[in-house]
Amino acid sequence: TDLSPTVFVLYGATGDLARRMVLPAFYQLAQHGLLPADWRLIGSGRGERSDEEFVEHVQGALEEFASGTDDGPWEEFSQRLRFAGGGFTDEDPGQLLDAVATARKELGDEAQLVHYLSLPPKAFTGYTKAIGAHGLGEGARIVYEKPFGASPEGFRELDDLVHSVFSEEQVFRIDHFLGKEGTQDLHALRFANGLFEHIWSREHIAQVQIDVPEDLDVADRAEFYDATGATLDMLVTHLFQVAAEVAMEPPVSFKADDILAARESVLAKFRPLQPEDVVLGQFEGYRELDGVPDDSDTDTFVAARLCIDSGRWRGVPFLLRTGKKLAAKQQRVSLILHRPKGPVDDVPANGNVVSLSLAGAGSVDIDVMAKKPGPDLAMAPARVSLDLSKIPGGDPLPPYVSLIHDVLVGDRSLFTTSEGLAQTWRALQPVLDARPEVHPYASGSWGPAAANELAGEHGWLLGQ
Ligand code: BG6
């Protein structure tokens, strides 16, 4: 590829997130031939390790969480891995400054520096300060994992600090739902097809549902989850971003900055959620999990009816729902069309639906009413499906792989911005100020019954 040589500094390189997600994603980029021709990955961590020990660590991660290192470019890949121990604070850079200087000497001074903070959110502040203090911010790109601030105040403080070291164009805040193939197809399919673009408004759409039920509990990360809850973990982040993908106005062009600007400006149109528009739930048995206090009031389920005050969407409810320990695992965006005004009078309320699955490589499904084959003119529901992974020449990338590639290329279209995130917190604020009661629900159900009322005559499509 023609990417410029890159020095990729991975903070928290020996931690869990790096093992599970970042290192496997980086190796997949190598397997797909999507890394720059020349690069170094410098793992930063508190302990002391030789480069060789770090290479072994990476190999272990790839064996456990990816397809291993038996075939593919491992030999070449492993020669580009370095480790800088001794931690990294504003007072003491450990071995990192030396390691970066060496890598720059090897790759040339114009090499692009990328900082990837694969760290718990509470560490973002200290590392951002240290990067600034040691002069490593200039011209660099920086990647933050979510959540970027876990409250409106936390977000503002972090945002101010980040902007004291970096300009907005240097910052890449991950929301991995934006990196999913299916999510990207929301704007690709829509703007490339009259079939979709012409119906994409209140004139033809009665309701939008963004539904992400999960069947798992929170077993191995109960402590993090209990301090977070579904509203912060999923609603104000992934579900709001996907809602913005659906709701955006056509961008001026398909360039990264224009797509970003279009998605961001519709976030400003989200009407603040009122407590009566939101139903919270907690699955029965949650409080018995290890790491969860007996009296925890954390929401493991949230459903919301969001209004978007743009001319395009006025009066069209966006129903958002997600939760743990529900009846199924799915990730669906559905646009329910108004019934046609015409001679067929028995079209059901949910007879015409355009729906995208965001799971895996994604799919598009269109529910239509068709003639039931046979002698009579009778109608029957039918579904047309397109598996996006089957598109000829396609090579679907998992979201982390796709997003890290965008960082290397410098494409911010699938990342969140400071202004956009400020808008998401604004839209959530009333619910934080007056938190709705948390209803219990049975494991394996579709959540508290109160959530059904939000959906009106259409009901929730999943679980019907
Ligand atoms: C994460 C949330 O961001 O997204 C998890 O913290 C959730 O709670 C996960 O399960 C779902 O995303 P995916 O892409 O792994 O299905």
Side-chain angles (χ1 to χ4, degrees):
T1 64
D2 52 5
L3 292 173
S4 52
T6 301
V7 181
F8 192 93
V9 183
L10 180 59
Y11 301 88
T14 54
D16 197 49
L17 182 67
R19 273 169 72 76
R20 283 173 189 276
M21 303 296 282
V22 189
L23 291 166
F26 212 78
Y27 190 59
Q28 283 186 58
L29 285 175
Q31 291 175 313
H32 288 267
L34 292 173
L35 288 178
D38 208 359
W39 57 272
R40 298 288 179 275
L41 184 148
I42 305 174
S44 156
R46 260 186 299 216
E48 299 291 336
R49 274 172 207 252
S50 63
D51 291 347
E52 292 70 31
E53 285 166 335
F54 182 57
V55 167
E56 270 170 40
H57 173 85
V58 175
Q59 187 162 24
L62 299 180
E63 271 153 18
E64 196 172 350
F65 296 110
S67 54
T69 54
D70 286 347
D71 31 57
W74 172 246
E75 244 344 277
E76 212 233 303
F77 185 93
S78 64
Q79 288 162 18
R80 299 172 187 275
L81 304 174
R82 305 285 182 270
F83 192 75
F88 184 63
T89 65
D90 45 1
E91 276 150 27
D92 179 3
Q95 296 157 8
L96 187 60
L97 287 185
D98 289 343
V100 170
T102 306
R104 278 183 158 155
K105 213 170 285 162
E106 290 168 5
L107 299 187
D109 279 339
E110 75 287 3
Q112 175 66 51
L113 185 57
V114 175
H115 303 284
Y116 194 111
L117 269 50
S118 176
L119 297 165
K122 63 178 188 300
F124 291 173
T125 306
Y127 279 81
T128 304
K129 280 186 187 153
I131 289 167
H134 297 294
L136 292 180
E138 210 178 310
R141 295 178 188 147
I142 184 155
V143 187
Y144 292 93
E145 282 292 344
K146 74 160 261 252
F148 188 83
S151 67
E153 305 74 40
F155 160 71
R156 269 190 293 273
E157 276 168 32
L158 178 60
D159 195 46
D160 287 346
L161 171 72
V162 168
H163 284 149
S164 73
V165 178
F166 296 99
S167 65
E168 178 64 16
E169 293 63 45
Q170 296 175 277
V171 184
F172 292 73
R173 300 173 194 82
I174 287 192
D175 183 307
H176 78 278
F177 268 54
L178 291 177
K180 290 176 183 272
E181 293 280 357
T183 310
Q184 296 181 60
D185 242 309
L186 279 167
H187 57 251
L189 271 185
R190 171 181 165 193
F191 295 120
N193 297 282
L195 178 61
F196 299 111
E197 173 56 3
H198 295 159
I199 60 149
W200 216 265
S201 73
R202 59 195 296 251
E203 237 180 288
H204 300 282
I205 306 295
Q207 193 182 81
V208 176
Q209 297 194 1
I210 300 175
D211 205 357
V212 184
E214 299 186 293
D215 52 1
L216 295 176
D217 67 13
V218 294
D220 56 344
R221 49 181 205 136
E223 224 168 291
F224 154 82
Y225 193 84
D226 196 62
T228 310
T231 304
L232 300 186
D233 185 41
M234 299 288 290
L235 181 80
V236 73
T237 50
H238 303 320
L239 301 193
F240 271 17
Q241 293 296 332
V242 173
E245 273 291 323
V246 175
M248 71 170 149
E249 289 302 309
V252 175
S253 81
F254 241 35
K255 293 208 189 86
D257 287 350
D258 291 331
I259 295 176
L260 186 71
R263 194 177 56 240
E264 169 172 295
S265 44
V266 78
L267 286 166
K269 307 262 168 71
F270 282 22
R271 188 187 301 171
L273 286 175
Q274 299 306 311
E276 61 271 20
D277 300 327
V278 175
V279 174
L280 301 181
Q282 184 187 79
F283 65 82
E284 287 161 1
Y286 172 73
R287 295 175 185 182
E288 277 88 72
L289 296 180
D290 275 353
V292 175
D294 299 345
D295 60 350
S296 167
D297 198 28
T298 297
D299 46 311
T300 64
F301 172 98
V302 58
R305 185 179 43 213
L306 172 73
C307 297
I308 300 181
D309 289 319
S310 67
R312 182 182 295 274
W313 296 113
R314 193 156 289 127
V316 180
F318 278 59
L319 288 161
L320 316 178
R321 178 172 74 167
T322 187
K324 304 291 183 194
K325 275 281 188 193
L326 294 176
K329 178 168 169 56
Q330 285 222 38
Q331 308 188 327
R332 283 231 164 243
V333 177
S334 305
L335 291 85
I336 305 173
L337 279 81
H338 292 299
R339 287 195 187 91
K341 297 186 191 79
V344 183
D345 53 17
D346 56 353
V347 176
N350 299 329
N352 298 172
V353 180
V354 172
S355 152
L356 280 91
S357 167
L358 308 184
S363 71
V364 183
D365 304 291
I366 305 179
D367 291 335
V368 296
M369 297 298 293
K371 180 183 161 308
K372 194 187 288 179
D376 302 323
L377 183 52
M379 304 304 291
R383 173 168 275 203
V384 184
S385 291
L386 170 64
D387 175 347
L388 296 174
S389 73
K390 301 269 162 61
I391 291 176
D395 185 10
L397 297 178
Y400 265 83
V401 181
S402 175
L403 291 173
I404 295 175
H405 182 247
D406 287 348
V407 172
L408 296 170
V409 178
D411 177 345
R412 293 173 67 241
S413 57
L414 301 178
F415 294 80
T416 61
T417 66
S418 161
E419 257 178 68
L421 291 183
Q423 294 297 345
T424 62
W425 287 113
R426 178 195 56 81
L428 190 67
Q429 190 67 55
V431 174
L432 298 175
D433 294 343
R435 187 166 180 255
E437 89 179 89
V438 179
H439 302 272
Y441 62 94
S443 289
S445 72
W446 285 95
N452 295 335
E453 279 147 43
L454 292 177
E457 61 154 337
H458 295 283
W460 292 93
L461 295 175
L462 295 181
Q464 276 184 11

